Coordinates of all heavy atoms in Angstrom, one line a residue:
M17 N -3.9 3.4 15.3 CA -2.8 3.0 14.4 C -1.6 3.9 14.5 O -1.8 5.1 14.6 CB -3.3 2.9 13.0 CG -4.0 1.6 12.6 SD -3.9 1.3 10.9 CE -4.8 2.6 10.3
A18 N -0.4 3.4 14.6 CA 0.8 4.2 14.7 C 1.3 4.5 13.3 O 2.5 4.3 13.0 CB 1.8 3.5 15.5
V19 N 0.4 5.0 12.4 CA 0.8 5.3 11.1 C 0.6 6.8 10.8 O -0.3 7.4 11.3 CB -0.1 4.5 10.1 CG1 0.4 4.8 8.7 CG2 0.0 3.0 10.3
R20 N 1.7 7.4 10.2 CA 1.6 8.8 9.9 C 0.6 9.0 8.7 O 1.1 9.3 7.6 CB 2.9 9.4 9.7 CG 3.9 9.3 10.8 CD 5.2 9.7 10.4 NE 5.8 8.7 9.5 CZ 6.5 9.1 8.4 NH1 6.8 10.3 8.2 NH2 6.9 8.2 7.6
K21 N -0.7 8.8 8.9 CA -1.6 8.7 7.9 C -1.7 10.0 7.1 O -2.0 9.9 5.9 CB -3.0 8.4 8.4 CG -3.9 7.8 7.5 CD -5.1 7.2 8.2 CE -6.1 6.7 7.2 NZ -7.3 6.2 7.9
K22 N -1.5 11.1 7.7 CA -1.6 12.4 7.0 C -0.5 12.5 5.9 O -0.8 13.1 4.8 CB -1.5 13.6 7.9 CG -2.9 13.9 8.6 CD -2.8 15.1 9.5 CE -4.1 15.3 10.3 NZ -4.0 16.5 11.2
Q23 N 0.7 12.1 6.2 CA 1.8 12.3 5.2 C 1.7 11.2 4.1 O 2.1 11.5 3.1 CB 3.1 12.3 5.9 CG 3.4 13.6 6.6 CD 3.1 13.3 8.1 OE1 2.2 12.7 8.5 NE2 3.9 14.1 8.9
A24 N 1.2 10.1 4.5 CA 1.3 8.9 3.7 C 0.3 9.0 2.5 O -0.8 9.2 2.7 CB 1.1 7.6 4.5
K25 N 0.7 8.7 1.4 CA -0.2 8.6 0.2 C -0.1 7.1 -0.3 O 0.9 6.4 -0.1 CB 0.2 9.5 -0.9 CG 0.0 11.0 -0.5 CD 0.5 11.9 -1.7 CE 0.5 13.3 -1.2 NZ 1.2 14.2 -2.2
V26 N -1.2 6.8 -1.0 CA -1.3 5.4 -1.4 C -1.6 5.4 -2.9 O -2.4 6.1 -3.4 CB -2.4 4.6 -0.7 CG1 -2.7 3.3 -1.4 CG2 -1.9 4.4 0.7
C27 N -0.9 4.6 -3.7 CA -1.1 4.4 -5.1 C -2.5 3.8 -5.4 O -2.8 2.8 -4.7 CB 0.0 3.6 -5.7 SG -0.3 3.2 -7.4
R28 N -3.3 4.5 -6.2 CA -4.6 3.9 -6.5 C -4.6 2.7 -7.4 O -5.5 1.9 -7.5 CB -5.5 5.0 -7.2 CG -6.0 6.0 -6.2 CD -7.2 6.8 -6.9 NE -7.7 7.8 -5.9 CZ -7.5 9.1 -5.9 NH1 -6.6 9.5 -6.7 NH2 -8.0 9.9 -5.0
I29 N -3.5 2.5 -8.1 CA -3.4 1.4 -9.0 C -3.0 0.1 -8.3 O -3.6 -0.9 -8.4 CB -2.3 1.7 -10.1 CG1 -2.5 3.1 -10.7 CG2 -2.2 0.6 -11.1 CD1 -3.8 3.2 -11.4
C30 N -1.9 0.1 -7.4 CA -1.4 -1.1 -6.8 C -1.5 -1.0 -5.3 O -1.2 -2.0 -4.6 CB 0.0 -1.4 -7.3 SG 1.3 -0.2 -6.8
H31 N -2.0 0.1 -4.7 CA -2.3 0.2 -3.3 C -1.1 0.2 -2.4 O -1.1 0.1 -1.3 CB -3.2 -1.0 -2.8 CG -4.6 -0.9 -3.3 ND1 -5.6 -1.6 -2.7 CD2 -5.2 -0.1 -4.2 CE1 -6.7 -1.3 -3.2 NE2 -6.5 -0.4 -4.2
R32 N 0.1 0.5 -3.1 CA 1.3 0.6 -2.3 C 1.4 2.0 -1.7 O 1.0 3.0 -2.2 CB 2.5 0.4 -3.2 CG 3.7 0.2 -2.5 CD 4.9 -0.1 -3.4 NE 6.2 -0.1 -2.7 CZ 6.8 -1.3 -2.4 NH1 6.4 -2.4 -2.8 NH2 8.0 -1.2 -1.7
V33 N 1.9 2.0 -0.4 CA 2.1 3.3 0.3 C 3.4 4.0 -0.4 O 4.4 3.3 -0.5 CB 2.4 3.0 1.8 CG1 2.7 4.4 2.5 CG2 1.1 2.4 2.4
V34 N 3.1 5.2 -0.8 CA 4.1 6.0 -1.5 C 4.6 7.1 -0.7 O 4.0 7.8 0.0 CB 3.5 6.5 -2.8 CG1 4.5 7.4 -3.6 CG2 2.9 5.4 -3.7
E35 N 6.0 7.2 -0.7 CA 6.7 8.3 0.1 C 6.7 9.6 -0.7 O 6.6 10.6 -0.2 CB 8.1 7.8 0.5 CG 8.1 6.6 1.3 CD 8.0 6.8 2.7 OE1 8.2 7.9 3.2 OE2 7.6 5.8 3.5
G36 N 6.9 9.5 -2.0 CA 7.1 10.6 -2.8 C 5.9 11.1 -3.6 O 4.8 10.9 -3.1
D37 N 6.1 11.5 -4.8 CA 5.1 11.9 -5.6 C 4.5 11.0 -6.7 O 3.6 11.1 -7.4 CB 5.4 13.3 -6.4 CG 5.6 14.4 -5.4 OD1 4.8 14.5 -4.4 OD2 6.5 15.3 -5.7
A38 N 5.4 9.8 -6.8 CA 5.0 8.8 -7.7 C 5.2 7.4 -7.1 O 6.1 7.3 -6.3 CB 5.8 9.0 -9.0
C39 N 4.5 6.5 -7.6 CA 4.5 5.1 -7.0 C 5.9 4.5 -7.5 O 6.2 4.5 -8.7 CB 3.4 4.3 -7.5 SG 3.5 2.6 -6.9
V40 N 6.6 3.9 -6.6 CA 7.8 3.2 -7.0 C 7.6 1.9 -7.7 O 8.5 1.3 -8.3 CB 8.8 2.9 -5.8 CG1 9.3 4.3 -5.2 CG2 8.1 2.1 -4.7
M41 N 6.4 1.4 -7.5 CA 6.1 0.1 -8.1 C 5.7 0.2 -9.6 O 6.2 -0.4 -10.5 CB 4.9 -0.6 -7.3 CG 5.4 -1.3 -6.1 SD 6.2 -2.9 -6.4 CE 4.7 -3.8 -7.0
C42 N 4.6 1.0 -9.8 CA 4.1 1.0 -11.2 C 4.3 2.4 -11.8 O 3.9 2.6 -13.0 CB 2.6 0.7 -11.1 SG 1.7 1.9 -10.1
G43 N 5.0 3.3 -11.1 CA 5.3 4.6 -11.7 C 4.0 5.6 -11.8 O 4.2 6.6 -12.3
S44 N 3.0 5.2 -11.2 CA 1.7 5.9 -11.3 C 1.8 7.2 -10.3 O 2.5 7.1 -9.3 CB 0.6 5.1 -10.9 OG -0.6 6.0 -10.7
S45 N 1.3 8.3 -10.8 CA 1.2 9.4 -9.9 C -0.3 9.6 -9.5 O -0.7 10.7 -9.0 CB 1.7 10.7 -10.6 OG 1.0 10.9 -11.8
N46 N -1.1 8.6 -9.7 CA -2.5 8.6 -9.3 C -2.5 8.1 -7.8 O -2.7 7.0 -7.5 CB -3.3 7.6 -10.1 CG -4.8 7.7 -9.9 OD1 -5.2 8.5 -9.0 ND2 -5.5 6.9 -10.6
L47 N -2.3 9.1 -6.9 CA -2.2 8.8 -5.5 C -3.4 9.3 -4.6 O -4.1 10.2 -5.1 CB -0.9 9.5 -4.9 CG 0.4 9.2 -5.7 CD1 1.5 10.0 -5.0 CD2 0.6 7.7 -5.8
S48 N -3.7 8.6 -3.6 CA -4.8 9.0 -2.7 C -4.3 9.2 -1.2 O -3.5 8.3 -0.8 CB -5.9 7.9 -2.8 OG -6.9 8.2 -1.8
E49 N -4.8 10.2 -0.6 CA -4.6 10.2 0.9 C -5.7 9.7 1.6 O -5.7 9.8 2.9 CB -4.3 11.8 1.2 CG -3.0 12.3 0.6 CD -2.7 13.7 1.0 OE1 -2.8 14.1 2.2 OE2 -2.6 14.6 0.1
D50 N -6.7 9.3 0.9 CA -7.9 8.7 1.7 C -7.9 7.2 1.5 O -8.4 6.6 0.6 CB -9.2 9.3 1.0 CG -10.4 9.0 1.8 OD1 -10.3 8.4 2.8 OD2 -11.5 9.2 1.2
W51 N -7.3 6.6 2.5 CA -7.2 5.1 2.5 C -7.3 4.5 3.9 O -7.2 5.3 4.9 CB -5.8 4.7 1.8 CG -4.7 5.4 2.5 CD1 -4.1 6.5 2.3 CD2 -3.9 4.8 3.7 NE1 -3.0 6.8 3.1 CE2 -2.8 5.7 3.9 CE3 -3.9 3.6 4.3 CZ2 -1.9 5.4 4.9 CZ3 -3.0 3.3 5.3 CH2 -2.0 4.2 5.6
A52 N -7.5 3.3 3.9 CA -7.7 2.6 5.3 C -7.0 1.2 5.2 O -6.9 0.6 4.2 CB -9.1 2.5 5.6
G53 N -6.6 0.7 6.4 CA -6.1 -0.6 6.5 C -4.7 -0.8 6.1 O -4.4 -1.0 5.0
Y54 N -3.8 -0.5 7.1 CA -2.4 -0.6 6.8 C -1.9 -2.1 6.8 O -2.3 -2.9 7.6 CB -1.6 0.2 8.0 CG -0.2 0.4 7.7 CD1 0.1 1.3 6.6 CD2 0.8 -0.1 8.4 CE1 1.5 1.6 6.4 CE2 2.1 0.2 8.2 CZ 2.4 1.0 7.2 OH 3.8 1.3 7.0
L55 N -1.1 -2.3 5.7 CA -0.8 -3.7 5.5 C 0.8 -3.8 5.2 O 1.2 -3.2 4.2 CB -1.6 -4.3 4.4 CG -1.4 -5.8 4.0 CD1 -1.9 -6.6 5.1 CD2 -2.3 -6.0 2.8
V56 N 1.5 -4.5 6.0 CA 2.9 -4.7 5.7 C 3.2 -6.2 5.2 O 2.8 -7.1 5.9 CB 3.8 -4.4 7.0 CG1 5.3 -4.7 6.7 CG2 3.6 -3.0 7.5
I57 N 3.7 -6.3 4.0 CA 3.9 -7.6 3.4 C 5.4 -7.8 3.4 O 6.1 -7.1 2.7 CB 3.4 -7.6 1.9 CG1 1.8 -7.5 2.0 CG2 3.7 -9.0 1.4 CD1 1.0 -8.5 2.8
I58 N 5.9 -8.8 4.1 CA 7.3 -9.0 4.2 C 7.6 -10.2 3.3 O 8.6 -10.2 2.5 CB 7.7 -9.4 5.6 CG1 7.5 -8.1 6.5 CG2 9.2 -9.8 5.7 CD1 7.5 -8.4 7.9
D59 N 6.8 -11.2 3.3 CA 7.0 -12.4 2.4 C 5.7 -12.8 1.7 O 4.9 -13.5 2.2 CB 7.5 -13.5 3.3 CG 7.9 -14.7 2.5 OD1 7.8 -14.8 1.2 OD2 8.3 -15.7 3.1
P60 N 5.5 -12.2 0.5 CA 4.2 -12.3 -0.2 C 3.9 -13.8 -0.5 O 2.8 -14.2 -0.6 CB 4.5 -11.6 -1.5 CG 5.6 -10.7 -1.3 CD 6.5 -11.4 -0.2
R61 N 5.0 -14.6 -0.7 CA 4.7 -16.0 -1.1 C 4.1 -16.8 0.1 O 3.5 -17.8 -0.3 CB 6.1 -16.7 -1.5 CG 6.5 -16.1 -2.9 CD 7.9 -16.6 -3.2 NE 8.6 -16.0 -4.3 CZ 8.3 -16.3 -5.6 NH1 7.6 -17.3 -5.8 NH2 8.9 -15.6 -6.5
H62 N 4.3 -16.3 1.2 CA 3.8 -17.1 2.4 C 2.8 -16.3 3.2 O 2.6 -16.6 4.4 CB 4.9 -17.5 3.3 CG 6.0 -18.4 2.6 ND1 7.1 -18.0 2.1 CD2 5.9 -19.8 2.3 CE1 7.7 -19.1 1.5 NE2 7.1 -20.2 1.6
S63 N 2.2 -15.4 2.5 CA 1.2 -14.6 3.2 C -0.2 -14.7 2.5 O -0.3 -14.5 1.3 CB 1.6 -13.0 3.1 OG 0.5 -12.2 3.5
D64 N -1.1 -15.2 3.3 CA -2.5 -15.4 2.8 C -3.1 -14.1 2.4 O -3.8 -14.0 1.5 CB -3.4 -16.1 3.8 CG -2.9 -17.5 4.0 OD1 -2.3 -18.1 3.0 OD2 -3.2 -18.2 5.1
I65 N -2.9 -13.0 3.2 CA -3.4 -11.7 2.9 C -2.9 -11.2 1.5 O -3.6 -10.7 0.7 CB -3.1 -10.8 4.1 CG1 -3.6 -11.3 5.3 CG2 -3.7 -9.3 3.7 CD1 -3.1 -10.5 6.6
A66 N -1.6 -11.3 1.3 CA -1.0 -10.9 0.1 C -1.6 -11.6 -1.1 O -1.9 -10.9 -2.2 CB 0.5 -11.1 0.1
K67 N -1.8 -12.8 -1.0 CA -2.4 -13.6 -2.1 C -3.8 -13.2 -2.3 O -4.3 -13.0 -3.5 CB -2.4 -15.1 -1.7 CG -1.1 -15.8 -1.9 CD -1.1 -17.2 -1.4 CE 0.2 -17.8 -1.3 NZ 0.2 -19.1 -0.6
K68 N -4.6 -12.8 -1.2 CA -5.9 -12.4 -1.4 C -6.0 -11.1 -2.1 O -6.9 -10.8 -2.9 CB -6.6 -12.3 0.1 CG -8.0 -12.3 0.1 CD -8.7 -12.2 1.4 CE -8.7 -13.6 2.0 NZ -9.3 -13.5 3.5
V69 N -5.1 -10.2 -1.7 CA -5.1 -8.8 -2.2 C -4.4 -8.8 -3.6 O -4.6 -7.8 -4.4 CB -4.4 -7.8 -1.2 CG1 -4.5 -6.4 -1.7 CG2 -5.1 -7.9 0.1
G70 N -3.6 -9.8 -3.9 CA -2.9 -9.9 -5.1 C -1.6 -9.2 -5.2 O -1.2 -8.7 -6.2
I71 N -1.0 -9.1 -4.1 CA 0.4 -8.5 -3.9 C 1.5 -9.6 -4.1 O 1.4 -10.6 -3.4 CB 0.4 -7.8 -2.5 CG1 -0.5 -6.6 -2.5 CG2 1.9 -7.4 -2.2 CD1 -0.7 -6.1 -1.1
D72 N 2.5 -9.3 -4.9 CA 3.6 -10.3 -5.0 C 4.9 -9.6 -4.8 O 6.0 -10.2 -5.1 CB 3.6 -10.9 -6.4 CG 3.6 -9.8 -7.5 OD1 3.8 -8.7 -7.2 OD2 3.4 -10.2 -8.7
T73 N 5.0 -8.4 -4.2 CA 6.2 -7.7 -3.9 C 6.1 -7.2 -2.5 O 5.1 -6.6 -2.1 CB 6.4 -6.4 -4.8 OG1 6.3 -6.9 -6.2 CG2 7.8 -5.9 -4.6
P74 N 7.2 -7.5 -1.7 CA 7.2 -7.0 -0.3 C 7.1 -5.5 -0.2 O 7.7 -4.8 -1.1 CB 8.6 -7.4 0.2 CG 9.0 -8.6 -0.7 CD 8.4 -8.2 -2.0
G75 N 6.5 -5.0 0.8 CA 6.3 -3.6 1.0 C 5.1 -3.2 1.9 O 4.5 -4.1 2.5
R76 N 4.8 -1.9 1.9 CA 3.6 -1.5 2.7 C 2.6 -1.0 1.8 O 2.7 -0.3 0.8 CB 4.1 -0.2 3.5 CG 5.3 -0.5 4.5 CD 5.7 0.6 5.3 NE 6.3 1.7 4.4 CZ 6.2 3.0 4.5 NH1 5.6 3.4 5.7 NH2 6.7 3.8 3.7
Y77 N 1.4 -1.5 2.2 CA 0.2 -1.4 1.3 C -1.0 -0.9 2.2 O -1.0 -1.0 3.4 CB -0.1 -2.6 0.6 CG 0.9 -3.2 -0.3 CD1 2.0 -3.9 0.2 CD2 0.9 -2.8 -1.7 CE1 2.9 -4.4 -0.7 CE2 1.9 -3.3 -2.5 CZ 2.9 -4.0 -2.0 OH 3.9 -4.5 -2.9
A78 N -2.0 -0.4 1.5 CA -3.3 -0.1 2.1 C -4.3 -1.1 1.6 O -4.3 -1.5 0.4 CB -3.7 1.3 1.7
L79 N -5.2 -1.4 2.4 CA -6.2 -2.4 2.1 C -7.3 -1.8 1.2 O -7.8 -2.3 0.3 CB -6.9 -3.1 3.3 CG -6.2 -4.3 3.9 CD1 -6.9 -4.7 5.1 CD2 -6.1 -5.3 2.9
K80 N -7.7 -0.6 1.6 CA -8.8 0.1 0.9 C -8.3 1.5 0.5 O -7.8 2.3 1.3 CB -10.0 0.2 1.8 CG -10.7 -1.1 2.0 CD -12.0 -0.8 3.0 CE -12.6 -2.2 3.3 NZ -13.7 -2.1 4.3
V81 N -8.5 1.8 -0.8 CA -8.1 3.1 -1.3 C -9.4 3.7 -1.9 O -10.0 3.1 -2.7 CB -7.0 3.1 -2.3 CG1 -6.6 4.4 -2.7 CG2 -5.8 2.3 -1.7
R82 N -9.7 5.0 -1.5 CA -10.9 5.6 -2.1 C -10.4 6.7 -3.2 O -9.3 7.2 -3.1 CB -11.7 6.3 -1.0 CG -12.5 5.3 -0.3 CD -13.5 6.1 0.7 NE -12.7 6.3 1.9 CZ -12.7 5.6 3.0 NH1 -13.3 4.5 3.1 NH2 -11.9 5.9 4.0
Ligands
ZN24 ZN1 1.4 1.7 -7.9

């Protein structure tokens, strides 16, 4: 995967990939660096994966967060 996994953190609440110290989606600072499955959602309304995971906002997400 061409993802800078070491730098990237993922919000444990909504699974969004976070650049800073807090999630821009839910404001949570409950972040994890131990995640798998990079997911880019561009159009949640027309994405089966987005519906399955419960994502309704475009962005970058992780499928599994530990
Ligand atoms: Zn979040």
Side-chain angles (χ1 to χ4, degrees):
M17 275 202 297
V19 180
R20 294 170 300 138
K21 203 172 177 180
K22 278 183 181 174
Q23 284 98 329
K25 293 176 187 173
V26 167
C27 174
R28 282 198 177 96
I29 311 298
C30 63
H31 287 197
R32 192 178 174 103
V33 175
V34 178
E35 303 273 340
D37 292 327
C39 176
V40 293
M41 278 285 290
C42 62
S44 167
S45 56
N46 187 1
L47 310 176
S48 172
E49 291 180 56
D50 189 8
W51 54 274
Y54 193 65
L55 185 63
V56 178
I57 301 296
I58 296 161
D59 188 354
R61 292 173 189 274
H62 298 99
S63 168
D64 290 336
I65 303 168
K67 286 173 190 169
K68 197 180 281 185
V69 185
I71 291 167
D72 56 8
T73 307
R76 299 177 297 146
Y77 297 87
L79 274 177
K80 290 178 184 174
V81 184
R82 281 183 281 266

